[in-house]
Amino acid sequence: METMGNLLSFVRSAETGSFSAAARRLGLTPAAVSRNVAQLEANLGVRLFQRSTRKLTLTEAGERFLSNVEAGLESVQAAIEDLAGNAGRPSGVLRVTAAPGFGKDFLLPLMPEFLKQYPDVVPEWSLENRQVDLVAEGFDAAIGGGIELAQGLVARNIAPAHLVLVASPEYLSAKRSVRRPEDLATLDHLAMRSVQTGKIRSWTLQGPEDGQMPLELKPRLLANDPQALCQCARLGLGIALLAVPDVLPYLENGSLERVLPEWYVDAGQIYLYFSSQKLLPAKTRAFVDFLVQHAQAQRWITRLDAREGR
């Protein structure tokens, strides 16, 4: 019988494409992971990886073995983790990723209560503006949108992903009234490049009576971070199209105002992503239940809806 260590080293190396990345996830050295995989290959009598100086590539036998062993191994590991801490008591490091703005203003404020309820769980937050591979990067949960719902993942809707046009009151007071989307061309546009493509994304505004209007404005200033763009808008440099969570505190304190408040961009939904396995680790189940409960109690679905007309 193969050891759990050998099998885990193989599966994580296949998922990440390198012994070093697998070692970081497993808390081992790259040499130990390489040794475990070599031992597995020797025991099975087949080569599972083609090795090069740059990456690992599964052989045909390796691909077949991975497809057969991966699901069962994950279930066994989840069952072990579920029982490891005081018969299923939530414990251990909980790796979660989210966008910086949403994490800072909506998720981190929940942590005092979460830590009080689950003293044996250690949240590890990764706040960054990119789409992650939940499984390959070893996250227990992710909050955001646009993540491919691959096999083994589920998504719980926690809020709408709406974007709105905003500017500072001082900037707007110096400009003539903007009453129609066509009037936006007279304003300075603050834009952001896509993290994935490096291009300025085109959006379509939605408005009253199912009206639609392409938002295609020449940028006056560019930034690669929503919070930086929000700060530029607060400084009175122009108008910016930003997600409601990134601007809600400033709309509420009056340092930003919506431009054309009846118009917005529908970018889909904000989801809580996690594994669909039946035996979720207790720490992950606790976090999922906690976050969904607080999202409902704090009315995120209505608070972050641009159609509420703030």
Side-chain angles (χ1 to χ4, degrees):
M1 292 291 291
E2 285 303 327
T3 66
M4 179 69 77
N6 288 356
L7 292 172
L8 278 173
S9 292
F10 164 68
V11 170
R12 297 297 178 246
S13 297
E15 289 173 346
T16 60
S18 80
F19 292 143
S20 296
R24 287 192 294 271
R25 288 188 57 183
L26 294 170
L28 301 173
T29 65
V33 172
S34 177
R35 187 166 55 249
N36 288 347
V37 172
Q39 183 64 55
L40 178 62
E41 289 177 321
N43 293 345
L44 296 175
V46 296
R47 180 174 290 276
L48 300 173
F49 288 111
Q50 296 290 353
R51 296 160 171 82
S52 71
T53 56
R54 293 187 175 183
K55 65 176 182 178
L56 296 174
T57 304
L58 283 168
T59 63
E60 183 178 350
E63 290 179 353
R64 188 166 61 252
F65 186 63
L66 179 66
S67 66
N68 289 329
V69 76
E70 188 172 24
L73 183 62
E74 295 295 343
S75 295
V76 170
Q77 189 181 20
I80 293 172
E81 291 178 357
D82 187 57
L83 294 174
N86 297 320
R89 180 178 176 182
S91 63
V93 176
L94 176 78
R95 298 193 66 226
V96 189
T97 180
F102 192 74
K104 177 176 66 71
D105 293 325
F106 289 87
L107 300 173
L108 295 184
L110 303 179
M111 286 300 97
E113 179 63 26
F114 182 81
L115 294 176
K116 182 179 179 181
Q117 288 189 28
Y118 304 105
D120 295 326
V121 177
V122 180
E124 179 180 335
W125 287 92
S126 178
L127 302 179
E128 48 190 331
N129 292 309
R130 68 180 182 92
Q131 296 175 5
V132 302
D133 186 325
L134 201 69
V135 175
E137 297 182 51
F139 288 107
D140 297 294
I143 299 95
I147 294 178
E148 181 182 354
L149 203 59
Q151 183 179 3
L153 292 182
V154 294
R156 293 283 299 271
N157 177 20
I158 57 174
H162 290 170
L163 293 81
V164 294
L165 290 162
V166 296
S168 70
E170 295 76 16
Y171 178 82
L172 293 175
S173 67
K175 301 293 180 179
R176 67 180 179 85
S177 178
V178 178
R179 298 180 178 178
R180 303 175 303 165
E182 292 85 351
D183 298 333
L184 293 172
T186 65
L187 305 179
D188 298 301
H189 182 214
L190 311 176
M192 186 170 66
R193 294 190 185 276
S194 166
V195 176
Q196 285 75 34
T197 67
K199 298 179 180 179
I200 301 174
R201 184 168 177 179
S202 297
W203 297 100
T204 299
L205 291 171
Q206 299 187 18
E209 300 179 356
D210 297 324
Q212 292 190 344
M213 174 68 68
L215 185 64
E216 298 175 347
L217 301 175
K218 182 179 179 181
R220 181 69 179 83
L221 180 147
L222 291 162
N224 67 346
D225 177 75
Q227 292 181 306
L229 209 61
C230 182
Q231 177 69 355
C232 291
R234 294 176 63 210
L235 291 170
L237 301 181
I239 63 168
L241 180 71
L242 290 163
V244 173
D246 288 326
V247 298
L248 184 59
Y250 308 111
L251 293 174
E252 292 177 338
N253 68 22
S255 59
L256 285 177
E257 293 181 3
R258 282 187 64 175
V259 181
L260 297 175
E262 294 184 331
W263 294 80
Y264 70 100
V265 169
D266 186 350
Q269 300 292 323
I270 298 173
Y271 292 104
L272 167 60
Y273 298 92
F274 56 96
S275 172
S276 64
Q277 58 191 359
K278 293 181 180 179
L279 291 174
L280 264 184
K283 61 183 180 182
T284 308
R285 172 54 61 193
F287 177 76
V288 168
D289 293 343
F290 179 89
L291 184 59
V292 169
Q293 176 186 350
H294 280 74
Q296 293 172 347
Q298 297 181 4
R299 301 181 299 105
W300 288 358
I301 285 182
T302 54
R303 285 187 66 206
L304 302 182
D305 192 327
R307 294 165 296 188
E308 293 297 303
R310 293 178 186 83

